[in-house]
Amino acid sequence: MRIISFTLILVLSNLSFCKSIIEKRLEKNFYKIENKISSKTDGSVYETLGLGYLNGYIYFDDKTGFRHFAIIPKDIKKAKLYLSKADEKGKELSSALLGIILRRDFKNEKELDKSIEYLLKVKDKFYDVSGEYGLALHQKLRWNKQNLNKENIQEMMSHLNLAAYRGYLPALNSLGQIYREGFFVKKDIKKSEIFTKEATRLAKNKIEKQKKISKAIDDSRQRIKEYSKLSKEESRKGKMLSFIVSLGLIASVSFSYSSQNFSSVCTVGCSPPSVIDLLNWGIL
């Protein structure tokens, strides 16, 4: 019993230390891989580098299912560079992300056309990309009325409706606007309100879910600190029995990222809503 107790004490008291080592190794390996890129570098490597600079973090899943994170400074220029290299090597997620980045930040029609080019290649692979493709067409048709014809409008509406059916918030918001304005389709205020209300409902749910996840992460970190402190105090006092009893709450310490669906293929549609999103959805 004493041996088991001592082992648990070591695990808990060194948990923060071990985590920092893993994070440092993750960060070191990331830059090591970046410094070794060449013309023969695989597309998956470019995509990993691009995602790291785009998201501002990288991660590693250990054998217990716990996901360890390391912070990487966000760099959109490097993200675009590496994602474009991955796109050239046929990485579909990179094509999707490049299309979405350009669609959201385009400054002229040429950049918007490039966004549509990227999205067109993978619009049938990811439902949120299908929605982004519809959004890009919506912007294209508003930008240049020369492209306004029945075929292009049907293409736009079909992709927006597909994404909206899957609960993609920007697509719902766009359809609400389209039916409210009545420029591309017959004006229908009732339909507009249905799409807008659904977008608002889903946005509120998404915000609450994000709050719960953030709270759980913060709570788990705090509990780890508390248990680490407790393990040192009880070890020093020699009160092994009381320490073992306190381990009854150990389950609440480990917030496992494996319980979240981070491993599924997910593009921008899975990100927490931005301030602009919230304004568009009528929440702020």
Side-chain angles (χ1 to χ4, degrees):
M1 180 63 74
R2 291 181 179 178
I3 295 175
I4 295 174
S5 303
F6 183 67
T7 302
L8 287 172
I9 290 171
L10 286 176
V11 170
L12 288 172
S13 63
N14 290 307
L15 184 57
S16 298
F17 175 70
C18 292
K19 188 176 181 182
S20 65
I21 290 176
I22 294 174
E23 289 174 352
K24 287 178 181 178
R25 285 178 180 173
L26 277 172
E27 187 177 345
K28 183 178 179 180
N29 287 338
F30 180 85
Y31 293 118
K32 185 177 180 181
I33 290 171
E34 183 179 22
N35 291 330
K36 287 187 176 182
I37 58 175
S38 67
S39 58
K40 296 181 180 179
T41 299
D42 185 74
S44 298
V45 174
Y46 281 123
E47 190 165 84
T48 298
L49 293 170
L51 288 170
Y53 282 117
L54 178 66
N55 295 322
Y57 65 82
I58 52 177
Y59 61 84
F60 166 76
D61 293 329
D62 63 24
K63 293 180 180 180
T64 66
F66 194 91
R67 180 160 288 185
H68 301 272
F69 287 86
I71 302 301
I72 300 295
K74 285 189 176 184
D75 190 324
I76 191 64
K77 288 185 177 179
K78 282 190 175 183
K80 286 181 179 179
L81 172 63
Y82 291 132
L83 290 175
S84 64
K85 293 287 186 182
D87 166 72
E88 291 171 5
K89 292 181 178 288
K91 302 302 291 183
E92 293 177 337
L93 181 58
S94 292
S95 303
L97 290 169
L98 282 168
I100 294 172
I101 292 169
L102 281 173
R103 202 282 298 171
R104 296 191 173 190
D105 299 330
F106 77 94
K107 297 178 179 61
N108 51 57
E109 192 172 2
K110 184 178 180 180
E111 290 184 354
L112 181 58
D113 287 339
K114 188 64 177 178
S115 167
I116 292 173
E117 181 183 325
Y118 281 124
L119 296 170
L120 182 62
K121 293 193 290 185
V122 290
K123 63 182 178 63
D124 298 324
K125 301 288 183 179
F126 312 92
Y127 74 84
D128 50 348
V129 177
S130 177
E132 287 289 328
Y133 176 69
L135 291 166
L137 289 179
H138 187 188
Q139 291 172 311
K140 174 77 172 177
L141 295 178
R142 294 177 72 91
W143 188 292
N144 190 342
K145 301 298 190 296
Q146 294 179 351
N147 297 306
L148 196 61
N149 57 58
K150 187 176 180 179
E151 183 179 343
N152 287 338
I153 292 174
Q154 287 179 341
E155 178 84 348
M156 172 188 72
M157 294 299 290
S158 66
H159 286 86
L160 287 175
N161 277 306
L162 175 64
Y165 178 76
R166 297 292 298 274
Y168 190 51
L169 292 167
L172 286 163
N173 187 60
S174 182
L175 287 168
Q177 179 185 5
I178 288 171
Y179 281 107
R180 183 173 62 253
E181 293 178 343
F183 186 77
F184 300 106
V185 298
K186 184 178 179 180
K187 190 172 183 177
D188 192 325
I189 299 300
K190 287 185 177 181
K191 276 190 177 181
S192 174
E193 290 178 350
I194 289 172
F195 285 118
T196 302
K197 286 180 180 179
E198 180 63 6
T200 303
R201 184 187 70 81
L202 291 176
K204 287 180 178 178
N205 289 343
K206 193 170 188 178
I207 292 168
E208 288 304 313
K209 183 178 180 181
Q210 188 64 29
K211 285 181 179 178
K212 289 178 181 179
I213 292 174
S214 297
K215 186 178 183 300
I217 292 173
D218 292 339
D219 184 57
S220 69
R221 287 173 178 167
Q222 182 59 36
R223 286 176 180 273
I224 286 172
K225 290 180 182 178
E226 290 173 0
Y227 277 100
S228 179
K229 182 180 179 181
L230 174 63
S231 68
K232 292 176 184 178
E233 291 177 351
E234 295 300 316
S235 176
R236 186 169 55 251
K237 293 177 182 178
K239 294 181 180 179
M240 297 298 184
L241 182 60
S242 62
F243 177 65
I244 292 171
V245 172
S246 72
L247 291 178
L249 297 175
I250 193 65
S252 61
V253 177
S254 301
F255 177 77
S256 176
Y257 287 90
S258 62
S259 65
Q260 307 300 324
N261 195 21
F262 287 116
S263 60
S264 61
V265 175
C266 177
T267 59
V268 175
C270 301
S271 301
S274 66
V275 173
I276 300 300
D277 290 330
L278 299 182
L279 286 171
N280 288 338
W281 301 332
I283 292 179
L284 294 181

